[in-house]
Amino acid sequence: MAMSKEQMDLKEKVAHLSTFDFESKETWEQDWTNDNPEFHTNEVNAMLMKQHQEFTGGRKNLRILVPLCGKSYDMIWLANQGHSVVGVELIRRGIELFFRDNKLKYCEKKVALNAETHGTIFKANDKDISIYECSIFDFSAKVAGGQFDCIWDRGSMTAINMMTDERVKRYRDVMLACLKPTGRYLIEFFVPDSLEGMPPSFKFISKESLTALFGERCTIRFVGREEMPSDLTSAQEQRKEDCREHAKNDPAMWMHYYFIDFK
């Protein structure tokens, strides 16, 4: 993890990520040591803003879950649209940085996740934002005080997909149990134009794998895609500069977006 992200092209980044032990808390703690982890972006997600009306049905005052939220700016933006936002993050440092970077005061308290496990909830004083410090596998609608109208999954599934099949199915079950029957799930994940040269150990998500995972209970609809810049932290700047050049034989990487709804 010591390698500078700015020095890596997309192939190198994927190869780097493929070495992570995604099930290890120590891996994620190490990823936060420079306060700027691999999956963080320094802007609100453009597709989230573009699809907000359809995502929410034009409604305000919705409860929106953001799994593996880190210090995402999306949470501030969603709260500013009039929603109640709940994030789930395993690493305390990420939560503390979210409140520090957004100059938000907060209170925290211990919460029982189940009979054997406790976590901590961080609640902003002046924004309707709460973040649970816990494993996503210990989180539930019961812990959060009820189901959610929407789930915004920006890269969370990408990380979970690198775990065992049992973990992936458990994550799906947690997410669907947290979603109201009339709720909507918006998911983002990245895929290359070509798998050539990509590490075989990296498990990319596809529409087919989403259908296999969710298709029995849900409909899955493609929303759109955006090209992923080589440096995730400067995505907006690269879009403005229309930076679409790639190294020779280096495939483009795309962010794909899907709506998932109960049948």
Side-chain angles (χ1 to χ4, degrees):
M1 286 190 176
M3 190 183 300
S4 167
K5 288 185 291 227
E6 287 76 17
Q7 295 174 342
M8 293 188 291
D9 63 19
L10 290 172
K11 277 185 181 178
E12 290 173 328
K13 184 180 290 294
V14 174
H16 179 53
L17 290 173
S18 70
T19 66
F20 285 19
D21 180 357
F22 283 83
E23 297 203 39
S24 167
K25 184 176 181 180
E26 184 179 55
T27 294
W28 295 108
E29 288 175 333
Q30 188 177 354
D31 198 33
W32 279 100
T33 54
N34 67 353
D35 295 347
N36 197 31
E38 294 286 348
F39 287 94
H40 180 67
T41 60
N42 287 327
E43 63 179 24
V44 178
N45 184 276
M47 190 65 78
L48 174 64
M49 293 189 288
K50 180 180 179 181
Q51 296 293 333
H52 176 252
Q53 280 290 108
E54 188 167 2
F55 181 39
T56 63
R59 298 169 293 164
K60 295 187 182 296
N61 301 315
L62 300 185
R63 298 187 75 227
I64 300 181
L65 174 63
V66 185
L68 278 62
C69 63
K71 58 176 184 174
S72 172
Y73 290 115
D74 298 344
M75 293 188 288
I76 286 285
W77 188 84
L78 286 167
N80 287 342
Q81 308 313 302
H83 304 301
S84 175
V85 181
V86 174
V88 181
E89 173 57 45
L90 180 63
I91 306 303
R92 173 176 284 255
R93 180 61 178 164
I95 300 171
E96 293 173 341
L97 286 171
F98 170 79
F99 287 103
R100 185 201 71 181
D101 292 352
N102 293 287
K103 299 179 173 57
L104 294 175
K105 294 182 179 180
Y106 64 91
C107 58
E108 60 179 281
K109 68 176 182 178
K110 294 290 184 182
V111 292
L113 302 171
N114 52 53
E116 301 177 348
T117 309
H118 285 75
T120 303
I121 180 173
F122 294 71
K123 185 170 179 58
N125 293 342
D126 300 317
K127 291 277 186 185
D128 198 350
I129 300 175
S130 301
I131 303 179
Y132 286 81
E133 179 193 4
C134 66
S135 165
I136 192 65
F137 300 105
D138 290 324
F139 184 76
S140 66
K142 181 179 179 180
V143 168
Q147 291 178 307
F148 293 85
D149 300 286
C150 299
I151 297 175
W152 167 227
D153 189 320
R154 194 213 68 81
S156 178
M157 186 67 192
T158 296
I160 299 296
N161 200 55
M162 292 295 291
M163 300 181 185
T164 64
D165 290 345
E166 291 74 16
R167 284 291 211 183
V168 173
K169 291 175 182 177
R170 173 61 182 150
Y171 177 78
R172 172 205 60 196
D173 293 343
V174 170
M175 291 298 98
L176 294 185
C178 282
L179 191 63
K180 291 180 179 179
T182 56
R184 171 158 281 178
Y185 189 158
L186 175 57
I187 187 170
E188 174 209 80
F189 55 88
F190 64 87
V191 293
D193 273 340
S194 169
L195 292 177
E196 184 178 355
M198 292 292 170
S201 58
F202 197 93
K203 298 190 289 185
F204 289 101
I205 302 171
S206 64
K207 183 177 181 180
E208 290 71 26
S209 63
L210 277 186
T211 300
L213 192 61
F214 290 95
E216 184 175 340
R217 298 179 59 191
C218 303
T219 60
I220 299 159
R221 178 161 63 90
F222 180 67
V223 176
R225 70 175 191 170
E226 290 185 332
E227 192 169 6
M228 185 176 103
S230 58
D231 180 3
L232 286 175
T233 62
S234 60
Q236 189 176 61
E237 181 179 342
Q238 283 199 242
R239 281 199 298 269
K240 288 180 178 178
E241 294 176 0
D242 196 29
C243 180
R244 294 181 176 274
E245 294 184 6
H246 302 278
K248 190 174 182 180
N249 299 323
D250 189 25
M253 194 75 72
W254 297 91
M255 311 304 294
H256 284 217
Y257 299 84
Y258 285 83
F259 282 137
I260 299 175
D261 302 283
F262 285 114
K263 291 180 177 178

